[in-house]
Short mmCIF file of all heavy atoms in Angstrom, two decimals:
data_model
loop_
_atom_site.label_atom_id
_atom_site.label_comp_id
_atom_site.label_asym_id
_atom_site.label_seq_id
_atom_site.Cartn_x
_atom_site.Cartn_y
_atom_site.Cartn_z
N ARG A 174 22.23 2.89 -34.91
CA ARG A 174 23.33 2.41 -34.14
C ARG A 174 24.49 3.43 -34.09
O ARG A 174 25.64 3.08 -33.78
CB ARG A 174 23.80 1.08 -34.71
CG ARG A 174 22.86 -0.05 -34.44
CD ARG A 174 23.31 -1.34 -34.93
NE ARG A 174 23.21 -1.37 -36.41
CZ ARG A 174 23.86 -2.29 -37.17
NH1 ARG A 174 24.63 -3.22 -36.61
NH2 ARG A 174 23.72 -2.26 -38.53
N GLU A 210 22.33 13.54 -23.66
CA GLU A 210 22.28 14.14 -25.03
C GLU A 210 21.46 13.26 -26.01
O GLU A 210 20.97 13.75 -27.03
CB GLU A 210 23.78 14.23 -25.57
CG GLU A 210 24.52 15.33 -24.97
CD GLU A 210 25.83 15.69 -25.74
OE1 GLU A 210 26.72 14.87 -25.62
OE2 GLU A 210 25.81 16.60 -26.45
N GLU A 213 18.29 14.90 -25.56
CA GLU A 213 18.39 16.29 -26.19
C GLU A 213 18.25 16.20 -27.70
O GLU A 213 17.48 16.93 -28.39
CB GLU A 213 19.73 16.92 -25.80
CG GLU A 213 19.83 18.38 -26.30
CD GLU A 213 21.31 18.93 -26.02
OE1 GLU A 213 22.05 18.14 -25.27
OE2 GLU A 213 21.57 19.94 -26.49
N ASP A 232 19.74 -4.63 -22.75
CA ASP A 232 20.95 -5.32 -23.26
C ASP A 232 20.76 -5.43 -24.81
O ASP A 232 20.57 -6.58 -25.36
CB ASP A 232 21.04 -6.67 -22.64
CG ASP A 232 22.36 -7.43 -23.08
OD1 ASP A 232 23.20 -6.82 -23.62
OD2 ASP A 232 22.35 -8.61 -22.89
N HIS A 243 23.77 -3.19 -29.83
CA HIS A 243 24.14 -1.82 -29.53
C HIS A 243 23.27 -0.85 -30.32
O HIS A 243 22.85 -1.16 -31.51
CB HIS A 243 25.59 -1.56 -29.93
CG HIS A 243 26.55 -2.52 -29.36
ND1 HIS A 243 26.91 -2.50 -28.01
CD2 HIS A 243 27.14 -3.53 -29.85
CE1 HIS A 243 27.70 -3.48 -27.76
NE2 HIS A 243 27.87 -4.16 -28.89
N ARG A 326 26.51 -6.78 -17.65
CA ARG A 326 27.45 -6.73 -16.58
C ARG A 326 26.76 -6.50 -15.22
O ARG A 326 27.41 -6.47 -14.22
CB ARG A 326 28.52 -5.64 -16.83
CG ARG A 326 29.27 -5.82 -18.11
CD ARG A 326 30.27 -4.80 -18.27
NE ARG A 326 30.69 -4.66 -19.64
CZ ARG A 326 31.77 -3.98 -20.05
NH1 ARG A 326 32.52 -3.28 -19.16
NH2 ARG A 326 32.08 -3.88 -21.31
N VAL A 399 25.94 -25.33 -10.85
CA VAL A 399 25.42 -24.08 -11.39
C VAL A 399 26.54 -23.31 -11.99
O VAL A 399 27.57 -23.06 -11.34
CB VAL A 399 24.76 -23.30 -10.18
CG1 VAL A 399 24.25 -21.92 -10.74
CG2 VAL A 399 23.66 -24.05 -9.55
N GLU A 401 27.97 -19.89 -14.59
CA GLU A 401 27.57 -18.52 -14.97
C GLU A 401 26.77 -18.56 -16.27
O GLU A 401 25.86 -17.72 -16.39
CB GLU A 401 28.92 -17.82 -15.29
CG GLU A 401 29.88 -17.68 -14.10
CD GLU A 401 29.45 -16.60 -13.17
OE1 GLU A 401 28.46 -15.94 -13.41
OE2 GLU A 401 30.14 -16.40 -12.16
N SER A 402 27.12 -19.48 -17.17
CA SER A 402 26.37 -19.49 -18.40
C SER A 402 24.98 -20.16 -18.23
O SER A 402 24.32 -20.29 -19.24
CB SER A 402 27.14 -20.30 -19.37
OG SER A 402 27.60 -21.46 -18.85
N ARG A 404 22.67 -18.62 -16.76
CA ARG A 404 21.69 -17.51 -16.70
C ARG A 404 20.72 -17.72 -17.78
O ARG A 404 21.03 -17.82 -18.97
CB ARG A 404 22.43 -16.19 -16.85
CG ARG A 404 23.11 -15.75 -15.65
CD ARG A 404 23.94 -14.55 -15.92
NE ARG A 404 24.92 -14.89 -17.00
CZ ARG A 404 25.41 -14.02 -17.84
NH1 ARG A 404 25.00 -12.78 -17.89
NH2 ARG A 404 26.34 -14.38 -18.70
N LYS B 285 23.28 23.17 -32.41
CA LYS B 285 23.89 21.81 -32.14
C LYS B 285 23.36 20.79 -33.16
O LYS B 285 24.16 19.91 -33.68
CB LYS B 285 23.49 21.32 -30.71
CG LYS B 285 24.28 20.12 -30.19
CD LYS B 285 23.97 19.95 -28.75
CE LYS B 285 24.79 18.77 -28.16
NZ LYS B 285 24.51 18.63 -26.73
N LEU B 289 25.82 18.51 -35.44
CA LEU B 289 25.97 17.08 -35.13
C LEU B 289 25.00 16.18 -36.02
O LEU B 289 24.55 15.16 -35.57
CB LEU B 289 25.74 16.80 -33.62
CG LEU B 289 26.83 17.33 -32.74
CD1 LEU B 289 26.55 17.10 -31.26
CD2 LEU B 289 28.18 16.79 -33.06
N ARG B 313 33.73 15.69 -32.01
CA ARG B 313 32.43 15.23 -32.38
C ARG B 313 31.99 15.73 -33.74
O ARG B 313 31.07 15.06 -34.32
CB ARG B 313 31.44 15.80 -31.33
CG ARG B 313 31.76 15.25 -29.89
CD ARG B 313 30.77 15.64 -28.90
NE ARG B 313 29.44 15.03 -29.12
CZ ARG B 313 28.35 15.32 -28.42
NH1 ARG B 313 28.44 16.26 -27.46
NH2 ARG B 313 27.24 14.85 -28.71
N GLU B 370 30.89 0.16 -32.80
CA GLU B 370 30.00 -0.87 -32.46
C GLU B 370 30.86 -2.21 -32.40
O GLU B 370 30.66 -2.99 -31.53
CB GLU B 370 28.96 -0.99 -33.58
CG GLU B 370 27.92 -2.12 -33.19
CD GLU B 370 26.86 -2.23 -34.25
OE1 GLU B 370 26.79 -1.37 -35.16
OE2 GLU B 370 26.07 -3.09 -34.15
N ASN B 374 31.27 -4.67 -29.41
CA ASN B 374 30.99 -6.08 -29.58
C ASN B 374 32.19 -6.92 -28.96
O ASN B 374 32.06 -7.92 -28.36
CB ASN B 374 30.84 -6.45 -31.06
CG ASN B 374 29.39 -6.20 -31.52
OD1 ASN B 374 28.50 -6.23 -30.69
ND2 ASN B 374 29.22 -5.95 -32.80
N THR B 376 34.31 -5.94 -26.79
CA THR B 376 34.24 -5.78 -25.31
C THR B 376 33.34 -6.86 -24.67
O THR B 376 33.50 -7.51 -23.69
CB THR B 376 33.95 -4.41 -24.90
OG1 THR B 376 34.84 -3.48 -25.51
CG2 THR B 376 33.97 -4.25 -23.36
N ARG B 377 32.17 -6.95 -25.38
CA ARG B 377 31.14 -7.80 -24.89
C ARG B 377 31.61 -9.27 -24.93
O ARG B 377 31.39 -10.05 -24.01
CB ARG B 377 29.89 -7.58 -25.73
CG ARG B 377 28.67 -8.42 -25.31
CD ARG B 377 27.57 -8.29 -26.30
NE ARG B 377 26.36 -9.00 -25.75
CZ ARG B 377 25.46 -8.51 -25.02
NH1 ARG B 377 25.54 -7.22 -24.69
NH2 ARG B 377 24.54 -9.31 -24.57
N LEU B 384 33.41 -15.09 -18.84
CA LEU B 384 32.33 -15.86 -18.23
C LEU B 384 32.54 -17.39 -18.49
O LEU B 384 32.41 -18.13 -17.61
CB LEU B 384 31.04 -15.34 -18.81
CG LEU B 384 29.74 -15.50 -17.90
CD1 LEU B 384 29.78 -14.44 -16.93
CD2 LEU B 384 28.49 -15.39 -18.79
N ASP B 388 33.36 -20.43 -16.03
CA ASP B 388 32.59 -21.71 -16.03
C ASP B 388 33.49 -22.91 -16.20
O ASP B 388 33.40 -23.87 -15.51
CB ASP B 388 31.53 -21.67 -17.13
CG ASP B 388 30.31 -20.95 -16.68
OD1 ASP B 388 30.21 -20.61 -15.55
OD2 ASP B 388 29.43 -20.74 -17.56
N ARG B 391 35.40 -23.47 -13.11
CA ARG B 391 34.50 -24.00 -12.05
C ARG B 391 34.19 -25.52 -12.28
O ARG B 391 34.35 -26.34 -11.46
CB ARG B 391 33.20 -23.27 -11.93
CG ARG B 391 32.31 -23.71 -10.87
CD ARG B 391 31.05 -22.88 -10.74
NE ARG B 391 31.25 -21.44 -10.58
CZ ARG B 391 30.32 -20.55 -10.41
NH1 ARG B 391 29.02 -20.97 -10.39
NH2 ARG B 391 30.46 -19.28 -10.15
#
Side-chain angles (χ1 to χ4, degrees):
Chain A
R174 289 183 288 164
E210 286 192 286
E213 183 188 353
D232 184 16
H243 308 286
R326 298 182 201 193
V399 178
E401 299 282 0
S402 49
R404 283 172 298 152
Chain B
K285 194 171 182 177
L289 293 177
R313 299 183 68 185
E370 187 180 350
N374 278 334
T376 306
R377 183 188 184 90
L384 206 77
D388 277 353
R391 187 180 295 185

